[in-house]
Amino acid sequence: MEIQVLHQVMDWNEDVSDAVKQTLAGQHICMINVMGSPGAGKTSLITALIQRLKANFRVGVIEGDIAGQVDAERIAALGVPTVQLNTDGACHIEAMSIQKILPALPLDRLDVIFVENIGNLVCPAEFRIGESLRMTLLSIPEGDDKVEKYPLMFTDTDCLVLNKYDMLPYFDFDEARVCANYEAVNPSTPLFRVSSRTGDGIDALADFLSGHIARAAR
């Protein structure tokens, strides 16, 4: 019985996700779902990407958290439209929440929306939110076993970002293991090595995203 209910909930979410995607397509907006563990550096990476992209694209952000608005305040300080979405305990964002919160953003004046999903390597992977692109972060301090432990998150993504790459010399992190496991579950998508602190790798990732944003704008 529980399996049947879960299946119905996810089917319902897919319907709403499709509706969100149609709304954004009508506005020529690319929405990027940013997923990763707590502390993986999602907010810092979004901040660094905004600074690279804002010269060419109009950026908005939906900041997802279980509670609080610390990250939203940090991003809003960059001068981009930002909306806080608190899930009040839920471990992921659902499409209905995105559908309800979109009117709070000036959609007619945006090219791209970053959605910072809840810090979690399980639930966010299971729920589409109407995004154009999924970006998964794995930070060096988290360890090199995450692709094996949480395969869906890394299978159902459009790119993998090895974040905090500048910390590689200080951790026992087998990069070859991660790359091999990622290649096995998701062979056709790129992997980026990035440090939000030093800026290394940000330009390459921004160029990749720029291509998707430009295509959505056509």
Side-chain angles (χ1 to χ4, degrees), residues 27-106:
Q27 296 283 349
H28 304 286
I29 295 173
C30 176
M31 186 164 73
I32 301 172
N33 185 0
V34 183
M35 302 179 292
S37 298
K42 297 185 294 297
T43 306
S44 296
L45 181 61
I46 291 171
T47 299
L49 288 169
I50 289 172
Q51 293 170 341
R52 299 300 198 285
L53 296 171
K54 65 181 181 180
N56 298 314
F57 301 106
R58 301 166 298 175
V59 184
V61 176
I62 296 173
E63 180 61 45
D65 284 299
I66 290 178
Q69 58 184 42
V70 175
D71 292 338
E73 292 172 353
R74 178 179 169 188
I75 291 174
L78 299 175
V80 301
T82 306
V83 180
Q84 178 69 52
L85 173 57
N86 286 344
T87 63
D88 297 324
C91 61
H92 62 277
I93 295 174
E94 294 183 3
M96 178 63 78
S97 297
I98 297 296
Q99 188 178 57
K100 289 181 177 179
I101 208 169
L102 280 179
L105 288 168

